[in-house]
Amino acid sequence: MAAALSVGRRELGRTWPNPAVGALVVRQTPQGPLVLGRGSTAQSGRPHAEPQALAQAGDAARGATLYVTLEPCSHHGQTPPCVDAVRAAGISRVVAAMEDPDFRVAGRGFSILREAGIEVVIGPGAAEARLVHAGHIRRVTEGRPHIMLKMAVSADGKVGLDGRRPVAITGAVARGRVHMLRATHDAVLTGIGTVLADDPLLTCRLPGMDGHSPVRVVLDSALRLPATSALARSIGAAPLWVFAAEDAPAEREHMLVALGAEVMRVRRKADGGLALDEIVKLLALRGITRLMVEAGPRVAAAFLKAGLIDEADIFEAPLRLGASAIDALEGLPLGALDTYLSVQETEWHGEDRLRIMRRR
């Protein structure tokens, strides 16, 4: 199951709207387990992992065991149900990490397999599978993506210099890890303030990972995004979606659309900010399952206040920026993350520490 999870995990960020499932067809031999076929959800979600693994195994799959990280689907979508492929292949045993919470499946796939005389084992690797499939779970149960907040903070909890001037906080090793985080998310979101101050690309620029960049999402209530910005000039590298208020200038929308961006309008709240609950629901409807928030203190605090942070990846650097520098969360102490998140993992990237926090 660990191998199946690894096979599926490498496709994170590329299979939306479907989950990144991994599957292995295995036969036990006197020399140990022999992998006959392996498969993972293909880019854009089709074909699914199970039929790919079964096709690779061919006739050798008869009487073998299928290890899969999520319950095989049992409904007719754009592809036939995976349970039909499992039955047709002659698999004798299915080991699945977890049940699919999608109401169209939700145990029905397991029931069909059992009725066909196939042994079903559920649960090995369940904890890891829930992390890998967190985006799928959140989307089908709550109607929004799984949301991860990424921040790089100084030793004194700051993210920028006085006057909202940007500053490099973490080192090259940590920045490489951030690029990998982008690659494993369907979309990365920032605010127009960060765009105007930093002019980011928000793509994955790791060697050999062309095509792994997420959709770039910008919260821009008044449509101030410049046509000359790095985001606007790189729409060919990765899609650009812009959320604006209903009263944003139409001519600005036309300019961005002409460049290739998509503009979506949402309600403006009483405080002037955009309605985050509407935005995350719209993202889910567009198929986004895993959203990375890589923004400034205002947007980060807004997501936290709205209760929309499921995970926080906090990169902590040893340097100190001083009392006059910009706090990581506008109007909130950095410790506000502890309200419903707790540290689950710690990594070191050069001199920088990464604390991975998740919902309790």
Side-chain angles (χ1 to χ4, degrees):
M1 184 59 72
L5 285 161
S6 178
V7 168
R9 192 187 300 111
R10 69 189 182 192
E11 299 301 327
L12 282 172
R14 291 162 59 83
T15 67
W16 60 278
N18 290 347
V21 175
L24 265 64
V25 179
V26 178
R27 183 181 301 281
Q28 294 295 330
T29 73
Q31 291 75 37
L34 174 64
V35 176
L36 305 170
R38 55 174 55 85
S40 57
T41 309
Q43 189 171 354
S44 300
R46 294 179 302 275
H48 292 181
E50 299 94 322
Q52 293 190 77
L54 293 167
Q56 193 176 104
D59 292 339
R62 191 161 300 278
T65 296
L66 173 69
Y67 289 85
V68 61
T69 63
L70 188 67
E71 178 181 6
C73 68
S74 54
H75 60 286
H76 285 269
Q78 297 191 35
T79 56
C82 288
V83 291
D84 290 355
V86 175
R87 291 187 298 182
I91 288 290
S92 63
R93 181 170 176 257
V94 170
V95 181
M98 60 176 288
E99 181 179 298
D100 190 341
D102 189 330
F103 73 93
R104 297 170 298 177
V105 186
R108 186 166 175 265
F110 292 142
S111 296
I112 292 172
L113 294 174
R114 290 191 179 103
E115 289 169 3
I118 298 171
E119 179 187 356
V120 175
V121 179
I122 308 167
E128 180 66 21
R130 283 192 291 270
L131 294 178
V132 173
H133 300 313
H136 172 67
I137 295 168
R138 195 77 63 184
R139 181 170 179 261
V140 301
T141 60
E142 298 185 29
R144 67 170 179 84
H146 181 84
I147 301 172
M148 186 274 283
L149 171 66
K150 171 264 168 183
M151 289 194 296
V153 302
S154 64
D156 49 354
K158 308 293 184 176
V159 295
L161 298 174
D162 186 25
R164 297 192 178 275
R165 292 173 293 149
V167 60
I169 293 177
T170 55
V173 179
R175 289 195 291 273
R177 182 72 166 86
V178 171
H179 282 273
M180 182 57 73
L181 286 173
R182 291 175 186 165
T184 57
H185 283 77
D186 308 340
V188 57
L189 179 149
T190 196
I192 186 61
T194 297
V195 174
L196 296 176
D198 298 351
D199 195 25
L201 265 175
L202 299 179
T203 54
C204 172
R205 298 187 294 280
L206 294 175
M209 296 193 69
D210 294 341
H212 284 257
S213 292
V215 174
R216 283 90 53 81
V217 178
V218 180
L219 306 187
D220 184 9
S221 60
L223 289 178
R224 294 185 291 155
L225 183 72
T228 56
S229 65
L231 288 171
R233 289 185 287 106
S234 61
I235 291 174
L240 176 62
W241 297 353
V242 182
F243 283 93
E246 294 166 335
D247 59 354
E251 63 273 16
R252 296 292 301 172
E253 177 178 350
H254 297 155
M255 179 272 291
L256 290 172
V257 170
L259 292 173
E262 292 190 51
V263 176
M264 290 167 269
R265 293 177 181 262
V266 295
R267 174 175 53 87
R268 189 195 293 273
K269 299 187 301 180
D271 63 4
L274 297 177
L276 295 183
D277 57 339
E278 291 185 15
I279 289 169
V280 297
K281 287 178 181 177
L282 279 170
L283 289 173
L285 287 171
R286 296 292 301 271
I288 299 299
T289 68
R290 291 167 56 85
L291 175 66
M292 177 177 172
V293 175
E294 189 174 354
R298 292 175 180 169
V299 172
F303 269 87
L304 185 60
K305 290 175 182 176
L308 291 173
I309 301 298
D310 304 304
E311 179 180 333
D313 284 19
I314 312 299
F315 291 83
E316 300 171 328
L319 85 164
R320 304 181 72 86
L321 297 180
S324 63
I326 304 301
D327 290 333
L329 296 169
E330 184 162 295
L332 294 172
L334 187 57
L337 291 168
D338 299 330
T339 304
Y340 56 92
L341 303 176
S342 60
V343 177
Q344 303 290 315
E345 299 177 47
T346 301
E347 302 173 1
W348 285 93
H349 299 278
E351 294 184 339
D352 304 317
R353 180 176 67 169
L354 168 60
R355 294 191 303 144
I356 300 174
M357 307 179 72
R358 300 191 183 98
R359 283 185 181 264
R360 293 188 180 89

